[in-house]
């Protein structure tokens, strides 16, 4: 039987050394980065959702505004026809004068209905614009929050690469600012 000796490789030596000193900084930073990336994914989703909701309401506002514009054009056409009939009434005599008078009344009634529809569409457009503004408000905060989270992730990577523990301070500050901005987006 031969008795030999065992030579440890540099990798095994480093593992044994780190095992005696707790969890290495790189592992801690990796876990922290994964948590930040997960939070960032949620913030990014919320930002996109806010933007999509705002665009939906903006689209509805434009659609209602187009309907209102159509109604106002229809109103103007009825108004012009009513004016022509009113002029014709002034020059008519007898039974034609009565016919034109009833036509003027009909046009005035139709104009009132058209005006009410146009104003209703304008009110709906204004309401949708307000909803779009409200829906878009969180997006600004969420975009800033995502920026700070990305900065924190980048600093965490530099921390892991350089093994400089002091870089955890600005990393943590960036993460806290990003999380706070995301939270304040909905207040």
């Amino acid at each position: 039987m031969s008795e030999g000796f065992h030579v440890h490789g540099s990798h095994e030596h480093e593992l044994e050394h780190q095992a005696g000193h707790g969890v290495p900084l790189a592992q801690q930073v990796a876990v922290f980065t994964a948590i930040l990336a997960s939070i960032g994914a949620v913030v990014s989703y919320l930002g996109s959702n806010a933007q999509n909701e705002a665009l939906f309401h903006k689209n509805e506002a434009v659609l209602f505004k187009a309907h209102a514009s159509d109604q106002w054009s229809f109103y103007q056409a009825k108004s012009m026809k009513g004016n022509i009939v009113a002029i014709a009434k002034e020059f008519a005599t007898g039974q034609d004068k009565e016919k034109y008078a009833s036509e003027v009344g009909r046009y005035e009634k139709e104009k009132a209905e058209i005006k009410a529809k146009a104003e209703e569409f304008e009110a709906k457009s204004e309401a949708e614009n307000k909803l779009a503004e409200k829906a878009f408000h969180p997006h600004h905060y969420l975009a800033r929050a995502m920026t700070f989270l990305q900065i924190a992730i980048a600093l965490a990577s530099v921390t892991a690469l350089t093994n400089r523990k002091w870089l955890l301070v600005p990393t943590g500050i960036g993460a806290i600012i990003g999380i706070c901005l995301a939270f304040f987006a909905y207040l």
Side-chain angles (χ1 to χ4, degrees), residues 90-166:
E90 294 299 318
F91 293 105
T93 57
Q95 195 175 14
D96 286 340
K97 192 166 190 125
E98 290 175 25
K99 177 182 143 194
Y100 287 132
S102 71
E103 285 291 309
V104 168
R106 180 177 65 87
Y107 280 119
E108 289 301 317
K109 181 182 173 198
E110 288 175 356
K111 280 175 34 182
E113 291 170 0
I114 293 167
K115 180 181 179 185
K117 280 184 184 177
E119 289 171 345
E120 181 184 335
F121 282 129
E122 284 183 342
K124 286 181 179 179
S125 175
E126 185 63 32
E128 288 293 332
N129 269 328
K130 287 179 182 176
L131 287 172
E133 243 178 75
K134 184 179 177 184
F136 198 66
H137 175 74
H139 182 270
H140 299 294
Y141 283 99
L142 294 169
R144 290 181 190 116
M146 194 61 209
T147 301
F148 277 99
L149 290 172
Q150 289 173 339
I151 290 169
I153 290 170
L155 285 172
S157 298
V158 172
T159 302
L161 289 172
T162 62
N163 206 27
R164 306 275 192 240
K165 284 187 177 185
W166 66 268

Side-chain angles (χ1 to χ4, degrees), residues 49-65:
N49 189 50
Q51 191 173 22
N52 288 338
E53 187 177 347
L55 288 173
F56 170 77
H57 289 297
K58 254 321 180 189
N59 188 48
E60 289 295 304
V62 169
L63 182 63
F64 285 130
K65 196 62 151 177

Side-chain angles (χ1 to χ4, degrees), residues 29-48 141-153 171-186:
V29 171
V31 170
F32 184 64
T33 303
I35 292 168
L36 286 181
S38 299
I39 293 170
V42 171
V43 168
S44 179
Y45 167 77
L46 291 172
S48 295
Y141 283 99
L142 294 169
R144 290 181 190 116
M146 194 61 209
T147 301
F148 277 99
L149 290 172
Q150 289 173 339
I151 290 169
I153 290 170
T171 301
I173 291 170
I176 290 168
I177 291 172
I179 291 167
C180 288
L181 284 171
F183 177 74
F184 287 124
Y186 291 100

